[in-house]
Amino acid sequence: MADITRRLGRRHLRGAPTAHVRHHKSGRLVHDGPGLSFWYRSLTAALSEVPVDDRELAMTFHARTSDFQDVAVQATVTYRISDPALAAARLDFSIDPDTGAWRGTPLEQLGSLLTETAQQHALDVLARTSLASALVDGVAAVRERIAGGLAAEPRLPATGIEVVTVRVVALRPEPEVERALRTPAREQIQQDADKATYERRAVAVERERAIAENELASQIELARREEQLVDQRGTNARREAEEHAAADAVRAGAEAARTVRLAEAEATRSLRLAEAEATRKVRLAGADARAEREVGAARAEAQAAWLRVHGEVDVATLHALTGTRLAENLPRIESVTVSPDVLTGLLARLGNGAAGEPA
């Protein structure tokens, strides 16, 4: 709808780029084109606004097939007004100069024309087609027939209408018929589903059996490997024991040989020490014997010399020497008490001794 503004008794129209505006003044065409903007007086202006953009017309109608079954057809027709001047001359696209609203309903007239024409051609093609064929190939057939019929319709070019595309969305039978038609397919689908389920279960059972066999084979293989492992461990233990025994024997032999060598070395050392000690003792004994012989000889010589000396000395000198030696060997006497008896006896002995000596 055009945008109309009032200003001081005049009107200003601003059209959209997708709207073709025609302005007549006193029967004379003043403005003609899309997206116009101009001033006018409402009392002297006759305005028309024709949309030139692509428009979609959705339609739904019922038809009957050759086997007397009702079907619902859902289609969409896209059209445009290619000749706005012709369309404005054939249909009422005039607008109110004060509000910009259409005075009539031109788009509804166009929709009725297109719907009736399309419905006529769709009914014609479906009346020669069975329900099963219509549901399978009817969409394409109805679309082609409607498109061809609209292209061949003389009223559309005469009104300035151009059909762009035709789309048939669906062909649907009545709900009861549709359910009846769906039943065999559903049964077949259910059978296929059951078959697929059974096959899947069979495959699952087969896979479970294969898995169980694989597990059993794995357990058998594990048991066999465990047996081999036990045998290998026993062999390794025996070999280790033999190696330990051989090592112990080698160590024992080495220890015995070392002990023998140590014993032989100790015996040799002891023998050498004994020989050295014996030699030393023999040498010491010989030295002692020589020393004793020399000492004895010296003592003998000293005794002989002593005897010779005493033999040549007189008796008085000997007594004096004896007294001196006796005095040297006596212990220290602090005081001596001589009784008369002792003194008398001593003097008597001295006197007898002196009388008996030669003159």
Side-chain angles (χ1 to χ4, degrees):
M1 186 175 66
D3 184 12
I4 297 177
T5 305
R6 299 180 182 183
R7 191 68 58 84
L8 299 176
R10 295 172 62 85
R11 304 289 185 272
H12 181 269
L13 183 144
R14 183 174 60 211
T18 58
H20 188 96
V21 178
R22 293 172 62 84
H23 175 211
H24 289 80
K25 181 179 179 181
S26 301
R28 181 174 56 86
L29 183 63
V30 179
H31 298 94
D32 185 18
L36 296 180
S37 179
F38 55 86
W39 292 91
Y40 66 92
R41 292 183 180 274
S42 61
L43 296 178
T44 60
L47 302 175
S48 298
E49 184 180 22
V50 181
V52 294
D53 57 336
D54 291 350
R55 292 181 173 267
E56 292 187 353
L57 175 63
M59 58 187 70
T60 302
F61 52 86
H62 291 272
R64 180 170 292 183
T65 61
S66 61
D67 49 0
F68 305 102
Q69 300 295 325
D70 290 338
V71 293
V73 181
Q74 296 179 358
T76 301
V77 176
T78 302
Y79 68 95
R80 72 168 66 98
I81 299 176
S82 58
D83 192 347
L86 184 60
R90 300 296 300 270
L91 298 175
D92 186 12
F93 283 97
S94 63
I95 61 175
D96 190 336
D98 293 328
T99 61
W102 276 317
R103 296 179 183 273
T105 56
L107 295 182
E108 293 182 2
Q109 295 176 9
L110 281 178
S112 298
L113 175 61
L114 292 173
T115 301
E116 290 174 0
T117 305
Q119 184 176 0
Q120 177 183 356
H121 292 288
L123 293 176
D124 187 23
V125 70
L126 289 175
R128 298 183 179 89
T129 307
S130 63
L131 178 61
S133 299
L135 294 178
V136 174
D137 301 324
V139 172
V142 170
R143 181 180 63 251
E144 293 176 359
R145 183 62 180 272
I146 291 176
L150 292 177
E153 179 63 33
R155 290 184 58 189
L156 297 179
T159 314
I161 306 300
E162 178 185 356
V163 177
V164 180
T165 58
V166 176
R167 300 190 302 276
V168 177
V169 180
L171 289 175
R172 293 186 178 278
E174 294 181 348
E176 296 80 3
V177 177
E178 188 173 5
R179 285 194 296 269
L181 292 175
R182 287 178 179 178
T183 300
R186 288 184 176 179
E187 292 294 334
Q188 183 64 36
I189 292 172
Q190 186 64 38
Q191 291 178 3
D192 294 340
D194 294 339
K195 183 178 179 181
T197 302
Y198 297 150
E199 291 178 355
R200 186 170 61 253
R201 290 179 179 177
V203 171
V205 171
E206 182 66 22
R207 289 180 178 176
E208 290 179 357
R209 184 184 63 80
I211 292 173
E213 290 180 355
N214 292 334
E215 291 179 352
L216 182 60
S218 299
Q219 293 178 359
I220 294 174
E221 181 65 19
L222 288 176
R224 186 179 63 82
R225 292 187 178 183
E226 287 180 357
E227 182 180 1
Q228 293 178 355
L229 180 61
V230 170
D231 294 340
Q232 186 63 36
R233 285 179 177 175
T235 303
N236 294 338
R238 288 192 299 271
R239 184 177 299 172
E240 186 177 0
E242 292 175 357
E243 293 293 335
H244 285 312
D248 293 339
V250 171
R251 285 196 296 270
E255 185 66 23
R258 188 176 67 84
T259 305
V260 170
R261 288 195 298 270
L262 289 176
E264 291 177 352
E266 185 65 23
T268 302
R269 189 175 66 84
S270 299
L271 180 59
R272 290 178 179 176
L273 290 176
E275 292 177 351
E277 184 66 22
T279 303
R280 187 180 64 82
K281 289 181 177 181
V282 169
R283 290 177 180 175
L284 290 176
D288 291 341
R290 287 194 299 271
E292 289 181 358
R293 285 195 299 271
E294 291 177 357
V295 170
R299 287 179 179 177
E301 291 179 358
Q303 187 68 27
W306 185 78
L307 290 176
R308 284 194 304 270
V309 170
H310 285 75
E312 296 175 355
V313 178
D314 55 0
V315 177
T317 302
L318 291 176
H319 286 169
L321 290 174
T322 301
T324 302
R325 294 292 298 275
L326 180 62
E328 291 176 357
N329 294 320
L330 288 176
R332 183 176 179 184
I333 299 173
E334 297 295 336
S335 63
V336 178
T337 303
V338 181
S339 63
D341 294 334
V342 175
L343 184 58
T344 300
L346 181 59
L347 292 177
R349 290 180 180 177
L350 289 176
N352 291 327
E357 292 180 359

